[in-house]
Amino acid sequence: MLFRSPAPAPSPPTGARTHLQLGSLLLDKGLETGQARGHLEQAWYISQPLAGIDEVKFEAASLLAKAYLQENNQSGAVQVLAAATELSPATEYWHCRLILQLASLHTGLQDYTSAHTALQQGADYAFMQRAYYTRTLFVLSKSLLFLCERRFQEANPLLQQVSPDIENWVASYQGQIGQA
């Protein structure tokens, strides 16, 4: 009679990736939100202390926040995004993406002060990283939020601040088209 030995447990990075893939699939298909959340929580918690799997860590955080929102757990979504943004400054793409997601969440909750704070944090970070297009995106998003709130006096200086950059990019782009 043959005996089957138990399969060895996967390494933590493999386990985190597996949980992320399962959670993502369940969340995308709209199946079993609770199970999706469980897998995404596992991916998030397993990946936090691990080096070299930032993509898994931050995608898990982003999707976990979405799962929390589907379950009407806004505070859980805010907490996971806030924690992820604290861990993500070394990865420019994810840091900016998570800040934008956090600002969007605050806006949806009508917590405009927190949304403005997140957008300013993103603009400052993008400026320090010399990511000027991204900085402009944050400033324009903040301006749009002011306009939606009918706070025109605060929106106007921000729009004037980024207007020269946009005009220079348009002129540069038109110059490239003329040369083509």
Side-chain angles (χ1 to χ4, degrees):
M1 182 177 220
L2 295 174
F3 291 98
R4 206 164 89 162
S5 63
S11 67
T14 301
R17 279 189 184 89
T18 302
H19 282 294
L20 172 61
Q21 290 169 345
L22 289 170
S24 176
L25 183 65
L26 290 169
L27 194 64
D28 285 346
K29 299 300 180 190
L31 305 170
E32 301 295 331
T33 305
Q35 281 186 333
R37 180 189 34 77
H39 284 293
L40 293 168
E41 284 173 341
Q42 287 291 324
W44 169 239
Y45 294 123
I46 291 170
S47 65
Q48 281 186 51
L50 302 177
I53 62 167
D54 287 343
E55 193 73 23
V56 171
K57 182 184 311 183
F58 301 128
E59 186 173 353
S62 178
L63 292 174
L64 180 56
K66 288 180 183 178
Y68 282 147
L69 284 177
Q70 286 183 3
E71 295 179 334
N72 292 320
N73 181 356
Q74 290 90 357
S75 65
V78 169
Q79 287 174 352
V80 74
L81 289 173
T85 58
E86 288 179 21
L87 297 173
S88 65
T91 56
E92 294 174 19
Y93 168 79
W94 278 106
H95 191 64
C96 292
R97 181 174 165 176
L98 291 166
I99 289 173
L100 283 169
Q101 187 176 355
L102 182 60
S104 176
L105 174 59
H106 285 307
T107 301
L109 297 172
Q110 297 182 347
D111 181 0
Y112 300 125
T113 301
S114 296
H116 285 293
T117 300
L119 291 169
Q120 187 60 51
Q121 177 188 5
D124 293 343
Y125 174 82
F127 180 78
M128 289 179 9
Q129 299 300 315
R130 296 186 177 146
Y132 299 114
Y133 288 108
T134 306
R135 179 184 167 274
T136 301
L137 172 67
F138 279 108
V139 172
L140 288 173
S141 297
K142 189 172 179 177
S143 301
L144 181 60
L145 186 54
F146 278 135
L147 291 172
C148 289
E149 294 176 88
R150 300 189 184 282
R151 293 169 60 183
F152 303 114
Q153 297 292 3
E154 285 135 305
N156 193 35
L158 292 176
L159 293 170
Q160 289 176 354
Q161 177 185 358
V162 296
S163 181
D165 292 334
I166 294 170
E167 289 173 10
N168 289 335
W169 294 330
V170 168
S172 173
Y173 179 70
Q174 287 173 341
Q176 290 174 357
I177 291 175
Q179 294 173 353

